[in-house]
Amino acid sequence: MQDYGIKLWSNNDFCIENGYVKVNYKSRPSLYEITQQIRDTGVRGPILLRFPHLIHKQIDTLYKEFNRAIESFQYKGKFHAVFPLKVNQFPNFVSHLVNIGEKYNYGLEAGSKAELIIAMAYNNKNAPITVNGFKDKNMITLGFIAAKMGYDTTLTIEGLNELENIIEAAKIYKDPIPNIGLRIRLHSSGIGIWAKSGGINSKFGLTSTELLEAVELLKKNDLLDHFTMIHFHIGSQIGEINPVKKALREAGNIYAELKKMGAKNLNNINLGGGLAVEYSQHENIHNRNYTITEFTNDVVFLLKEIAMQKGVQEPHIFTESGRYIAASHAVLIAPVLELFSQEYTEQGLKLKENNPPLIEELYDLYKSINPSNAIEYFHDSLDHMESLLTLFDLGYIDLQDRSNTEILVHLIIKKAIELTQDKDRYELKRIQDRVQERYLLNFSLFQSLPDFWGLKQRFPVMPLNKLDQKPTRSASLWDITCDSDGEIDFNVDYPLFLHDVDLSKEEYFLAFFLVGAYQEILGMKHNLFTHPTEVTVKIDEKGFELENIVESQSILDILYDLDYDINEMQSRLKQLIAQSECKEKEKILDQLSILLHENNYLKISPKERKI
Ligand SMILES: *Cc1c(COP(=O)(O)O)cnc(C)c1O
């Protein structure tokens, strides 16, 4: 039996029961029944499931843990948080996030003008808005408009020229002037594949010299009282606690120094994001060496200590965690379309009256393989295959012989795996390293798991059912793009085993977990495969309900987004058909029109196929 490391990565959000993976909440529906219900409406292709209760859980945990630490250390500052929109800007995520966040005064962070517009339209009335990233005058103007709308807005300065633009805007727009934050460039930096945002060579933030200059500029322009926050962000997915502590010490001391220089309204330290998520489904690999409890304790304790040492007021603590809040809420369901070796069946075998001797030998191996000789016969069959393929290249055997070879070797491999199942894992492993099954999935890796494509970030993956049966095939996963990078290879360091299923008899789906942060918006439209069909799943004691079903874009919409004139395109198609020799033109036009309105993913139900 295999549990796909569910205890390591799922944070108890999901569980396995009676062979199914279930959402571990209230009525505990299985992902299989949710998927089937969606497919019953005609949806094919990949499905992105959103679970709002998991957004709630993460926000609640973040506030609870910080407030617990604040209470236990008798810390005098308060805890505030905003969600960085760059992590997920999709409306069906943001609307739930904002609703859930209302009672916590949870705000939004924007890193571009378009994100700021989302924040201005939907942020909770009394919740903060922070604005980071490089800003032009127009973005600063938007910040002033947000302040005029009544939002508690903080513009974080990434460079001195931005400050000059704010000073200019303050003269034009006057009160209310947004709060001003300064992003500091830390000497310490994060670690890991996402850590280029911090450190002395970072793309962002003011050096000590620039900080001093900024304070001078603010003073000179009578704006020092609007300076309320210092900000840093040492990178995303910070897997170890030490860099966080180091950065906090540095930031805490900068805070105290600036305070002493007369920044009397500077009361907030904004730690940015970086809170890590555990993606590993393998016991020996960990992406995170701390818990949220340890993280919050360390932050509160360190800031208290620095404030005491320096004799300044304990600052309010601000965070901008995105990955931690959003990752778990979304699960990608990908239907398996094909097992590549499935075509190798005994029925397919067409042995001749007289076969080449090596094929006769292969056939004997297949007939007489048993638990005690399985490994040996497996090795022999691979040797024979090598020789037979060479014979084919040299012209000594024909295509029928070659086909028989492939079928027999695959049948022997399958039998060997079956026969060694209950034996020594080591032997089984030796076989599996050499013979993988390739699973073709109806999804695009470029669209739905871009961080695997770009950074080799692995996401937990498992089948939706059969979890009470031992998976025997070492699996590599292939997407439907025409690109050899669209593969998650079988890797002995991260082995994935799946079931040997006959897709003509049953359906088989894989779920990728923790895909709610960054993956959606970073997704690429390679081969024009766009965002999958998304569905929000609300679960209560009685069952579950499907809401906000947004089907993956139709072919026409995809082409429209590429700036094709789709009206002209359709009349061209119509004209070309009219001019052609084909019969039943009306019927063909109707058919074409239906296809243009469907989405781009494969519309195949394995059950419908004749094998
Ligand atoms: C990206 C980013 C975040 C979010 O980081 P996570 O690791 O997703 O929590 C927060 N603040 C800033 C300034 C960022 O650039």
Side-chain angles (χ1 to χ4, degrees), residues 13 31 35 113 129 148 172 175 265 288 382 410 420:
D13 296 340
L31 292 181
T35 301
K113 285 176 274 193
I129 292 179
K148 288 197 189 301
I172 301 169
D175 273 337
N265 288 338
R288 185 182 68 180
L382 290 185
H410 275 94
T420 47

Side-chain angles (χ1 to χ4, degrees), residues 307-365:
M308 200 154 63
Q309 276 167 7
K310 292 260 176 171
V312 293
Q313 179 196 321
E314 292 167 4
H316 301 309
I317 298 165
F318 236 91
T319 70
E320 298 173 335
S321 283
R323 184 186 300 276
Y324 178 82
I325 298 293
S328 63
H329 97 281
V331 177
L332 180 79
I333 308 291
V336 176
L337 291 173
E338 220 173 294
L339 273 64
F340 278 56
S341 78
Q342 206 166 35
E343 63 217 65
Y344 300 118
T345 59
E346 204 164 342
Q347 294 96 291
L349 202 57
K350 303 243 161 23
L351 290 176
K352 303 173 178 165
E353 283 281 295
N354 286 311
N355 295 292
L358 277 173
I359 290 187
E360 290 292 348
E361 276 182 47
L362 271 181
Y363 190 67
D364 286 344
L365 291 176

Side-chain angles (χ1 to χ4, degrees), residues 84 86-87 132 183 231 233 236-237 272-274 320-323 518:
K86 76 159 188 271
V87 179
N132 298 323
R183 181 158 182 172
H231 175 252
H233 170 70
S236 201
Q237 184 70 0
E320 298 173 335
S321 283
R323 184 186 300 276
Y518 297 102

Side-chain angles (χ1 to χ4, degrees), residues 68-107:
R68 179 203 47 75
I70 282 174
E71 205 175 308
S72 76
F73 291 105
Q74 295 180 324
Y75 188 80
K76 292 185 199 69
K78 289 202 168 62
F79 174 68
H80 301 285
V82 289
F83 178 80
L85 281 166
K86 76 159 188 271
V87 179
N88 196 323
Q89 305 94 336
F90 278 71
N92 288 325
F93 168 77
V94 173
S95 64
H96 284 110
L97 178 101
V98 169
N99 283 340
I100 293 161
E102 190 175 0
K103 70 171 192 228
Y104 304 89
N105 259 340
Y106 188 40

Side-chain angles (χ1 to χ4, degrees), residues 288-305:
R288 185 182 68 180
N289 79 347
Y290 56 88
T291 61
I292 178 86
T293 305
E294 182 180 352
F295 182 89
T296 52
N297 280 343
D298 282 349
V299 169
V300 174
F301 177 79
L302 265 172
L303 288 178
K304 189 176 177 76
E305 198 179 52

Side-chain angles (χ1 to χ4, degrees), residues 279-294:
Y279 291 99
S280 172
Q281 57 183 153
H282 300 284
E283 202 73 60
N284 51 341
I285 298 163
H286 294 281
N287 299 145
R288 185 182 68 180
N289 79 347
Y290 56 88
T291 61
I292 178 86
T293 305
E294 182 180 352

